[in-house]
């Protein structure tokens, strides 16, 4: 009995004497806090604090924002917010105030920059002014892909989400066409009118503060795009070709970092449904002029059909 009591006392003392354990990488690595959420019983690494983001990935939905954030998070100087905060585009969150917003950010070290991603900001009519009110000199990242392909990807995501939630679904042609004509009020099409949304942003920020990432190039050759982002954010070059490998099964690049390999969630890169060729041609034709308007706004072109 005496031995049993001694053993119980030993376990109790060891439990209460142990310091709180921080999940993830070793605390000697300044990237510890980049992807971890601190629960109420956990103590953040010494020397870290939460800050408003130095840069925000503002969109576009289904443009490659998750891939961009995951790849950028390879950099040891980046602390990435784990979830989409929707502070500037959702009134109910904006009403919670700036302190609430900052509390959603990850813990970071003084030599790190904080990056948040919410794709809904780009198409929000109120987000540009609200972000400008917080920080008029913030650097914004905008990743875009072929707007026609983005529409189909948008539909695909909603389609699978509805299937998973046992809700009825419609063929993509039924969404794209209404009363015999292209349904230009369809939200997926509205989100691909890059020129319309960009004009709103340029009313509040100079083009020099908005770095546009080519989402189609990022998928096929990620390193050059990420090196441009490093320069835009004044980060020292740390992301290398060895941080990526092509996954033949998934059909896109995955990440190799800290001795581990990881790919994007299985919901990313889903195959698109076939689209009626006449409907697809109508969609491309409608978006073509908007693409040209967008090119004039930003002073560059893309290989969009």
């Amino acid at each position: 009995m005496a031995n049993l009591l001694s053993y119980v006392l030993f376990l109790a003392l060891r439990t209460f004497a142990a310091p709180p354990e921080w999940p993830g990488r070793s605390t000697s690595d300044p990237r510890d806090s980049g992807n971890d959420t601190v629960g109420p019983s956990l103590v953040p690494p010494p020397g870290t604090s939460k800050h408003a983001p130095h840069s925000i990935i503002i969109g576009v939905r289904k443009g490659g924002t998750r891939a961009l954030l995951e790849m950028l998070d390879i950099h040891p100087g980046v602390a990435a917010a784990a979830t989409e905060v929707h502070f500037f585009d959702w009134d109910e969150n904006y009403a919670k105030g700036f302190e609430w917003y900052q509390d959603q950010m990850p813990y970071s070290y003084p030599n790190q920059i904080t990056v948040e991603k919410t794709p809904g900001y780009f198409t929000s009519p109120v987000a540009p002014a609200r972000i400008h009110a917080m920080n008029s000199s913030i650097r914004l990242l905008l990743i875009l892909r072929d707007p026609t392909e983005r529409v189909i990807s948008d539909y695909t995501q909603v389609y699978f989400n509805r299937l998973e939630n046992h809700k009825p679904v419609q063929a993509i042609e039924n969404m794209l066409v209404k009363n015999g004509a292209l349904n230009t009020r369809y939200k997926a099409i509205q989100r691909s009118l890059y020129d319309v949304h960009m004009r709103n942003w340029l009313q509040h920020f100079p083009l020099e503060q908005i770095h546009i990432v080519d989402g189609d190039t990022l998928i096929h050759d990620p390193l050059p795009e990420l090196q441009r982002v490093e320069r835009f954010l004044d980060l020292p070059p740390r992301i290398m070709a060895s941080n990526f490998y092509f996954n033949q099964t998934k059909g896109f690049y995955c990440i190799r970092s800290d001795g581990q390999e990881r790919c994007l969630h299985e919901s990313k890169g889903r195959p698109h449904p076939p689209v009626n060729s006449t409907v697809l041609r109508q969609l491309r034709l409608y978006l073509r002029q908007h693409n040209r308007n967008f090119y004039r706004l930003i002073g560059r072109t893309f290989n969009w059909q």
Side-chain angles (χ1 to χ4, degrees):
M1 179 64 71
N3 290 338
L4 179 60
L5 290 175
S6 299
Y7 180 70
V8 171
L9 180 61
F10 166 75
L11 288 178
L13 289 172
R14 188 177 68 172
T15 300
F16 285 104
E21 184 177 342
W22 181 257
R25 291 179 285 261
S26 166
T27 53
S28 62
D29 186 336
R31 297 174 57 205
D32 279 346
S33 56
N35 293 316
D36 296 319
T37 300
V38 179
S41 62
L42 295 176
V43 177
T48 64
S49 56
K50 293 187 177 185
H51 299 275
H54 302 78
S55 179
I56 300 177
I57 300 174
I58 59 174
V60 63
R61 171 180 159 123
K62 305 311 297 177
T65 57
R66 173 52 59 183
L68 176 59
L69 186 70
E70 292 280 349
M71 292 176 177
L72 188 57
D73 194 38
I74 295 170
H75 200 292
V78 170
T83 60
E84 296 174 6
V85 184
H86 286 284
F87 180 66
F88 298 104
D89 60 334
W90 290 1
D91 291 342
E92 60 269 32
N93 283 346
Y94 194 67
K96 295 175 183 177
F98 181 73
E99 288 187 5
W100 177 88
Y101 176 60
Q102 183 166 299
D103 196 48
Q104 310 311 303
M105 297 301 111
Y107 283 92
S108 61
Y109 287 93
N111 63 339
Q112 290 182 301
I113 65 169
T114 299
V115 178
E116 188 237 315
K117 172 191 86 79
T118 300
Y121 291 161
F122 181 59
T123 56
S124 166
V126 297
R130 288 174 173 179
I131 293 176
H132 185 272
M134 176 191 72
N135 182 359
S136 62
S137 61
I138 194 170
R139 301 188 186 191
L140 305 171
L141 294 170
L142 172 62
I143 180 168
L144 301 173
R145 62 189 291 201
D146 182 309
T148 301
E149 292 298 316
R150 200 219 62 80
V151 169
I152 301 172
S153 184
D154 200 324
Y155 163 84
T156 302
Q157 175 174 289
V158 174
Y159 176 87
F160 279 101
N161 286 345
R162 292 184 68 87
L163 280 183
E164 291 168 3
N165 289 288
H166 308 289
K167 293 182 179 180
V169 295
Q170 296 190 54
I172 188 170
E173 290 82 2
N174 294 341
M175 305 299 293
L176 292 172
V177 177
K178 186 176 183 180
N179 298 325
L182 190 69
N183 180 15
T184 58
R185 303 307 302 168
Y186 177 34
K187 287 183 178 180
I189 295 179
Q190 288 287 309
R191 295 186 187 106
S192 279
L193 305 183
Y194 299 157
D195 59 324
V196 173
H197 307 301
M198 193 65 176
R199 286 193 190 96
N200 190 23
W201 285 91
L202 292 176
Q203 289 178 5
H204 302 276
F205 294 95
L207 186 59
E208 294 73 27
Q209 281 179 235
I210 307 174
H211 178 75
I212 300 174
V213 179
D214 187 332
D216 297 308
T217 300
L218 185 75
I219 294 172
H220 300 106
D221 189 13
L223 184 60
E225 287 297 322
L226 289 164
Q227 289 174 329
R228 294 184 188 100
V229 173
E230 284 180 322
R231 291 192 291 270
F232 175 71
L233 297 177
D234 289 332
L235 291 168
R238 294 291 183 272
I239 302 175
M240 301 176 292
S242 59
N243 290 127
F244 307 101
Y245 67 97
F246 190 78
N247 186 301
Q248 295 288 348
T249 303
K250 292 181 175 293
F252 52 78
Y253 279 89
C254 296
I255 298 168
R256 183 182 292 116
S257 179
D258 297 330
Q260 298 180 340
E261 296 180 353
R262 66 183 189 276
C263 293
L264 296 178
H265 189 266
E266 61 182 10
S267 64
K268 307 299 181 182
R270 282 170 170 159
H272 289 174
V275 185
N276 177 276
S277 59
T278 301
V279 174
L280 188 61
R281 188 163 52 249
Q282 286 181 309
L283 178 60
R284 291 195 186 280
L285 184 63
Y286 174 73
L287 292 173
R288 189 167 297 157
Q289 186 57 52
H290 285 280
N291 295 344
R292 291 169 180 165
N293 294 342
F294 181 71
Y295 298 158
R296 284 193 289 269
L297 282 174
I298 65 171
R300 62 181 282 199
T301 60
F302 291 86
N303 295 321
W304 298 335
Q305 297 183 30

